[in-house]
Amino acid sequence: MFSFLKKDPIKKLNKLYLQKLEEAMYAQRNGDIRSYSTITSEAEDIRIKMDALRESTASL
């Protein structure tokens, strides 16, 4: 009934995903390739979660 009051979890994950990508970019620019790969991996895990949420909401 009050679903319009609930926050969108995909929006929150997207914001976190973009922050991780930006953090990875700065790590790469600084020459820290190990951190870059770790942060990029974390960002991809977040993207997979976002895709799963989109698929589950699309089936409803």
Side-chain angles (χ1 to χ4, degrees):
M1 180 174 171
F2 291 103
S3 63
F4 65 91
L5 294 176
K6 295 181 183 178
K7 294 187 178 188
D8 187 16
I10 296 173
K11 194 174 191 180
K12 181 180 177 182
L13 285 174
N14 190 38
K15 183 177 180 181
L16 183 61
Y17 175 69
L18 293 175
Q19 286 176 346
K20 286 289 184 182
L21 287 179
E22 185 175 1
E23 187 179 338
M25 177 192 64
Y26 286 122
Q28 185 182 29
R29 284 185 178 177
N30 290 330
D32 191 359
I33 302 303
R34 184 169 289 160
S35 292
Y36 166 74
S37 63
T38 303
I39 297 168
T40 303
S41 176
E42 292 171 1
E44 289 303 311
D45 291 340
I46 294 169
R47 187 188 55 81
I48 290 169
K49 289 178 187 177
M50 285 183 350
D51 290 343
L53 278 173
R54 283 188 184 122
E55 286 179 9
S56 68
T57 58
S59 64
L60 295 177

